[in-house]
Amino acid sequence: QNYLDNFWPDLKAAHELFESITQARRERESESQENRGKEYPEHLPLEILEAGIKSGRYLQGTLNVNKHRAQLEAFVRLQGCGSKDTG
Protein backbone atom coordinates (compact mmCIF):
# COMPACT_ATOMS: atom_id res chain seq x y z
CA GLN A 1 0.00 0.00 0.00
CA ASN A 2 2.79 2.42 0.94
CA TYR A 3 4.68 1.72 -2.28
CA LEU A 4 1.62 2.45 -4.40
CA ASP A 5 0.79 5.58 -2.42
CA ASN A 6 4.34 6.94 -2.61
CA PHE A 7 5.44 5.98 -6.12
CA TRP A 8 2.24 5.47 -8.11
CA PRO A 9 -0.40 7.72 -6.54
CA ASP A 10 -2.17 8.33 -9.88
CA LEU A 11 -2.26 4.72 -11.08
CA LYS A 12 -5.89 3.97 -10.28
CA ALA A 13 -5.91 0.43 -11.70
CA ALA A 14 -3.02 -0.65 -9.45
CA HIS A 15 -4.78 0.75 -6.38
CA GLU A 16 -8.01 -1.05 -7.32
CA LEU A 17 -6.13 -4.30 -7.86
CA PHE A 18 -4.42 -3.95 -4.49
CA GLU A 19 -7.77 -3.35 -2.76
CA SER A 20 -9.28 -6.34 -4.54
CA ILE A 21 -6.42 -8.62 -3.46
CA THR A 22 -6.60 -7.31 0.10
CA GLN A 23 -10.35 -7.93 0.27
CA ALA A 24 -10.00 -11.46 -1.14
CA ARG A 25 -7.30 -12.21 1.42
CA ARG A 26 -9.50 -10.96 4.27
CA GLU A 27 -12.39 -13.12 3.06
CA ARG A 28 -10.17 -16.20 2.81
CA GLU A 29 -8.83 -15.61 6.32
CA SER A 30 -12.34 -15.22 7.74
CA GLU A 31 -13.44 -18.42 5.96
CA SER A 32 -10.49 -20.34 7.34
CA GLN A 33 -11.30 -19.08 10.85
CA GLU A 34 -14.88 -20.24 10.39
CA ASN A 35 -13.69 -23.69 9.30
CA ARG A 36 -11.47 -23.83 12.42
CA GLY A 37 -8.46 -25.29 10.68
CA LYS A 38 -10.35 -27.73 8.46
CA GLU A 39 -8.85 -28.00 5.02
CA TYR A 40 -12.24 -28.37 3.34
CA PRO A 41 -15.66 -27.25 4.56
CA GLU A 42 -18.06 -30.03 5.51
CA HIS A 43 -20.88 -30.79 3.09
CA LEU A 44 -23.19 -32.19 5.74
CA PRO A 45 -22.98 -31.93 9.51
CA LEU A 46 -21.32 -34.89 11.22
CA GLU A 47 -24.53 -35.83 13.04
CA ILE A 48 -26.42 -36.24 9.76
CA LEU A 49 -23.65 -38.34 8.25
CA GLU A 50 -23.46 -40.61 11.29
CA ALA A 51 -27.24 -41.08 11.32
CA GLY A 52 -27.21 -41.81 7.58
CA ILE A 53 -24.49 -44.42 7.96
CA LYS A 54 -26.36 -46.12 10.81
CA SER A 55 -29.63 -46.17 8.84
CA GLY A 56 -27.96 -47.48 5.68
CA ARG A 57 -28.72 -44.38 3.63
CA TYR A 58 -25.00 -43.57 3.34
CA LEU A 59 -22.05 -45.91 2.99
CA GLN A 60 -18.71 -45.27 4.64
CA GLY A 61 -15.53 -46.00 2.76
CA THR A 62 -12.11 -44.82 1.71
CA LEU A 63 -11.42 -43.04 -1.56
CA ASN A 64 -8.23 -44.19 -3.25
CA VAL A 65 -6.93 -42.10 -6.16
CA ASN A 66 -4.16 -43.05 -8.58
CA LYS A 67 -1.56 -40.32 -8.07
CA HIS A 68 -0.32 -40.64 -11.64
CA ARG A 69 -3.75 -40.61 -13.30
CA ALA A 70 -5.86 -38.80 -10.72
CA GLN A 71 -8.36 -37.47 -13.28
CA LEU A 72 -9.02 -40.96 -14.65
CA GLU A 73 -8.52 -43.59 -11.96
CA ALA A 74 -10.02 -43.84 -8.49
CA PHE A 75 -12.01 -46.33 -6.47
CA VAL A 76 -13.87 -46.48 -3.19
CA ARG A 77 -13.19 -49.28 -0.74
CA LEU A 78 -16.20 -49.79 1.49
CA GLN A 79 -15.56 -50.60 5.14
CA GLY A 80 -16.21 -54.22 5.90
CA CYS A 81 -16.00 -55.27 2.26
CA GLY A 82 -13.01 -56.82 0.55
CA SER A 83 -14.10 -55.90 -2.98
CA LYS A 84 -13.65 -52.64 -4.83
CA ASP A 85 -16.56 -50.54 -6.04
CA THR A 86 -15.37 -48.50 -8.99
CA GLY A 87 -16.90 -45.45 -10.49
Side-chain angles (χ1 to χ4, degrees), residues 3-84:
Y3 175 79
L4 290 175
D5 290 340
N6 292 329
F7 295 102
W8 301 98
D10 299 330
L11 192 57
K12 184 178 179 181
H15 286 273
E16 290 175 356
L17 178 60
F18 178 80
E19 289 301 321
S20 175
I21 292 170
T22 303
Q23 180 63 28
R25 187 174 176 193
R26 284 186 197 127
E27 289 174 5
R28 181 178 288 164
E29 288 173 356
S30 69
E31 288 174 2
S32 66
Q33 288 175 354
E34 290 173 5
N35 292 335
R36 290 178 236 137
K38 296 177 184 174
E39 188 173 350
Y40 299 100
E42 296 177 2
H43 293 283
L44 293 173
L46 182 60
E47 300 81 29
I48 293 175
L49 289 175
E50 289 175 341
I53 291 169
K54 284 182 181 179
S55 71
R57 181 175 182 177
Y58 301 125
L59 301 174
Q60 186 172 4
T62 303
L63 175 65
N64 295 287
V65 180
N66 182 332
K67 67 180 178 181
H68 302 291
R69 297 172 44 115
Q71 297 292 325
L72 302 173
E73 293 182 13
F75 66 91
V76 175
R77 179 168 291 144
L78 298 176
Q79 288 187 347
C81 297
S83 65
K84 297 178 184 176

